[in-house]
Structure formats: C-alpha cells, structure tokens
Amino acid sequence: MAEKTYKNYLFVSNGINFSLKLSTDYDGIKDVVGLADMPNPQPVSLADESIPKLIRSGNAVKVSIGLDDKKRRKIFMAANKSFHGLVGKTFAGSTIKSASIATHVSYL
C-alpha cells in the first residue's frame, strides 16, 4: 500500500483564509469542495483551524461519498458548495458514484 502524501490547501469561508493540511487525494475534487492550492507567498492572514471546528462553526460539512470500488468515505467540503458536483470526479484513484450529507449526530 502506498504511503499517503499531504499538502497545504487554502480554504476560504466568509472572507477568512484557513490553512488546511490534507491528503493529496483532494486534488481531483478541490475545486468542487472549495479548496485551492496554497499560493506562494502565503496570504498574510491565515487562520489555523481543525476540520471539526470548521464543521461545528458551520463553515464546512461532512459528505459521505460512495466510490466505484464499493467503499464509502467521509470527506469535508465548504458548507456553501453543492455536493452534487462530486459525482463523476476522482478521489483517491476511484470514481465517485454517489454523494450525500453525512447526518450522523453523536449525542453526549
């Protein structure tokens, strides 16, 4: 099994720039989920947030995707983007066949 590689992406939500280190699996869908390659030089104002904090604040959502190899993966994307554009794109070497909002809620 090949080792995963990671890189920094720029995520912009509500005019705030966030720096996220994600797997390069997102390269095939970055335009659909609201990511961009980190520019060089980096923006001066970069917030460093975790994905769970972005989801709790309403800036991002979890989307469950079905791949052509019958596996399901949960990915993150901007809350103001449409997840329907994911179908037919490539993620981690597999084609996305279906997408839905992940609605599982953990009750404490």
Side-chain angles (χ1 to χ4, degrees):
M1 182 179 218
E3 188 175 321
K4 286 211 179 258
T5 56
Y6 295 86
K7 72 180 206 179
N8 287 327
Y9 290 96
L10 178 66
F11 175 71
V12 180
S13 180
N14 296 328
I16 302 170
N17 295 326
F18 295 97
S19 173
L20 298 174
K21 187 171 188 170
L22 299 171
S23 164
T24 54
D25 292 341
Y26 277 87
D27 274 347
I29 59 171
K30 66 184 176 187
D31 56 335
V32 179
V33 298
L35 295 172
D37 289 328
M38 185 62 72
N40 192 7
Q42 293 183 350
V44 175
S45 60
L46 271 180
D48 193 21
E49 286 288 338
S50 67
I51 291 174
K53 285 184 180 178
L54 289 170
I55 292 170
R56 279 194 299 267
S57 67
N59 291 316
V61 294
K62 273 188 206 173
V63 176
S64 178
I65 57 172
L67 303 173
D68 62 358
D69 59 2
K70 305 291 187 214
K71 292 183 181 177
R72 292 202 71 77
R73 299 272 305 264
K74 288 193 178 167
I75 62 167
F76 124 96
M77 69 182 296
N80 62 351
K81 295 280 189 173
S82 172
F83 64 90
H84 300 292
L86 291 169
V87 176
K89 298 282 186 179
T90 302
F91 183 80
S94 297
T95 303
I96 299 172
K97 295 294 182 184
S98 64
S100 61
I101 297 293
T103 58
H104 174 75
V105 177
S106 177
Y107 295 99
L108 299 177

